[in-house]
Amino acid sequence: MKKPKLSDLEKLAKEAGSILRAGYNKTHQVEYKSTIDLVTEVDRQAEEFLLKSILDKFPEHHILAEEKGVVKGNNDHIWYIDPLDGTVNYAHNIPIFCVSIAYAYKRDLRLATVYDPMRDEIFSAERGKGAWLNGVPIRVSQVTTLERSLLVTGFPYDMWNTSNDNLANYGRFAKQTQGVRRLGAAALDLCYVGAGRFEGFWETSLQPWDVAAGGLIAEEAGAKVTDMEGEGDYVSYPVSILAAPSGLHKKMMEVLESKDD
Ligand code: IPD
Ligand code: CA
Ligand code: CA
């Protein structure tokens, strides 16, 4: 069965990104999936474009897409699609969002692309070959201490109703680092770790399409990427993520494990 090339993912991400760019700063039809989890008509348009384009070329492949759910196919070939990561930002006209596309062969993430249409930044990676930003290789930060680290995290959509709300972790890291940002797009958070803009990223209660592409990009840029328990399979449920250069990954793990509340 035919496999995609990295250039296929990049072309798809750029085209979907132009749909996001065209809809940016306009009035949207917002629907609520839960109290604070929303979706706009642009998420759906970009996803429909991606699904149609992938199935035209790779009709037997299996796809996991945020809005449509599962498109059943041969799961030796799995695509992970987030047509608009950062949708709350998008609905508030905050220009921090992206398209995220990953491809796994026999459960191994092989290709990844994350496209930020507002900055025209395309992050890509191919397993074993490296990670790039606009074609230039990227590398994780060389900082080795938490004190010199700028971290990023996010909070789950069900945080009003769960004690697994990440607030205690946030507090602990905020008091041991240069700061902890909350940008609102997990795929970009991971790419920024790969590019050395942030030293590390952690988040809980995510979905496979939030982390698949950014995870491979961060790994190929030199990060250690695991779930928050330190396990290597970060796309299987329950999805959580911890990405940082390996020395810092260890230090972040220790902070996450030091829960006393
Ligand atoms: C969300 C973003 C956000 C993260 C949420 C995700 P969406 O994805 O990545 O940063 O904190 O957990 O669900 O809904 O914008 O695609
Ligand atoms: Ca997402
Ligand atoms: Ca999304």
PDB file of all heavy atoms in Angstrom, residues 66 82 84-86 209-210, ligand 2:
ATOM      1  N   GLU A  66      -9.951  15.174  14.628  1.00  0.00           N
ATOM      2  CA  GLU A  66     -10.616  15.685  15.828  1.00  0.00           C
ATOM      3  C   GLU A  66     -12.130  15.819  15.677  1.00  0.00           C
ATOM      4  O   GLU A  66     -12.868  15.379  16.537  1.00  0.00           O
ATOM      5  CB  GLU A  66     -10.031  17.047  16.228  1.00  0.00           C
ATOM      6  CG  GLU A  66     -10.820  17.612  17.400  1.00  0.00           C
ATOM      7  CD  GLU A  66     -10.146  18.701  18.173  1.00  0.00           C
ATOM      8  OE1 GLU A  66      -9.190  19.298  17.664  1.00  0.00           O
ATOM      9  OE2 GLU A  66     -10.605  18.959  19.292  1.00  0.00           O
ATOM     10  N   ASP A  82      -5.259  17.269  13.402  1.00  0.00           N
ATOM     11  CA  ASP A  82      -5.920  18.363  14.120  1.00  0.00           C
ATOM     12  C   ASP A  82      -5.953  19.543  13.143  1.00  0.00           C
ATOM     13  O   ASP A  82      -4.928  20.175  12.886  1.00  0.00           O
ATOM     14  CB  ASP A  82      -5.172  18.727  15.410  1.00  0.00           C
ATOM     15  CG  ASP A  82      -6.019  19.637  16.290  1.00  0.00           C
ATOM     16  OD1 ASP A  82      -6.946  20.273  15.757  1.00  0.00           O
ATOM     17  OD2 ASP A  82      -5.737  19.714  17.497  1.00  0.00           O
ATOM     18  N   LEU A  84      -7.232  22.435  13.359  1.00  0.00           N
ATOM     19  CA  LEU A  84      -7.024  23.758  13.977  1.00  0.00           C
ATOM     20  C   LEU A  84      -6.695  23.508  15.446  1.00  0.00           C
ATOM     21  O   LEU A  84      -7.591  23.238  16.246  1.00  0.00           O
ATOM     22  CB  LEU A  84      -8.310  24.598  13.855  1.00  0.00           C
ATOM     23  CG  LEU A  84      -8.193  26.123  13.946  1.00  0.00           C
ATOM     24  CD1 LEU A  84      -9.562  26.785  13.870  1.00  0.00           C
ATOM     25  CD2 LEU A  84      -7.391  26.649  15.088  1.00  0.00           C
ATOM     26  N   ASP A  85      -5.418  23.520  15.740  1.00  0.00           N
ATOM     27  CA  ASP A  85      -5.022  23.374  17.141  1.00  0.00           C
ATOM     28  C   ASP A  85      -4.850  24.791  17.682  1.00  0.00           C
ATOM     29  O   ASP A  85      -4.092  25.586  17.116  1.00  0.00           O
ATOM     30  CB  ASP A  85      -3.714  22.582  17.241  1.00  0.00           C
ATOM     31  CG  ASP A  85      -3.346  22.297  18.691  1.00  0.00           C
ATOM     32  OD1 ASP A  85      -4.232  21.863  19.453  1.00  0.00           O
ATOM     33  OD2 ASP A  85      -2.185  22.527  19.050  1.00  0.00           O
ATOM     34  N   GLY A  86      -5.575  25.087  18.751  1.00  0.00           N
ATOM     35  CA  GLY A  86      -5.587  26.461  19.261  1.00  0.00           C
ATOM     36  C   GLY A  86      -6.900  27.133  18.909  1.00  0.00           C
ATOM     37  O   GLY A  86      -6.959  28.338  18.647  1.00  0.00           O
ATOM     38  N   TRP A 209      -4.304  13.516  18.431  1.00  0.00           N
ATOM     39  CA  TRP A 209      -4.011  14.475  17.349  1.00  0.00           C
ATOM     40  C   TRP A 209      -3.378  15.762  17.874  1.00  0.00           C
ATOM     41  O   TRP A 209      -2.855  16.552  17.111  1.00  0.00           O
ATOM     42  CB  TRP A 209      -5.270  14.791  16.539  1.00  0.00           C
ATOM     43  CG  TRP A 209      -6.451  15.099  17.414  1.00  0.00           C
ATOM     44  CD1 TRP A 209      -6.731  16.272  18.028  1.00  0.00           C
ATOM     45  CD2 TRP A 209      -7.499  14.192  17.773  1.00  0.00           C
ATOM     46  NE1 TRP A 209      -7.879  16.155  18.763  1.00  0.00           N
ATOM     47  CE2 TRP A 209      -8.378  14.897  18.624  1.00  0.00           C
ATOM     48  CE3 TRP A 209      -7.778  12.857  17.450  1.00  0.00           C
ATOM     49  CZ2 TRP A 209      -9.533  14.309  19.162  1.00  0.00           C
ATOM     50  CZ3 TRP A 209      -8.915  12.276  17.993  1.00  0.00           C
ATOM     51  CH2 TRP A 209      -9.784  12.995  18.835  1.00  0.00           C
ATOM     52  N   ASP A 210      -3.449  16.014  19.200  1.00  0.00           N
ATOM     53  CA  ASP A 210      -2.776  17.192  19.768  1.00  0.00           C
ATOM     54  C   ASP A 210      -1.256  17.002  19.786  1.00  0.00           C
ATOM     55  O   ASP A 210      -0.513  17.983  19.713  1.00  0.00           O
ATOM     56  CB  ASP A 210      -3.202  17.426  21.233  1.00  0.00           C
ATOM     57  CG  ASP A 210      -4.655  17.809  21.391  1.00  0.00           C
ATOM     58  OD1 ASP A 210      -5.166  18.594  20.572  1.00  0.00           O
ATOM     59  OD2 ASP A 210      -5.294  17.314  22.353  1.00  0.00           O
TER      60      ASP A 210
HETATM   61 CA    CA B   2      -5.859  20.274  19.546  1.00  0.00          CA
END
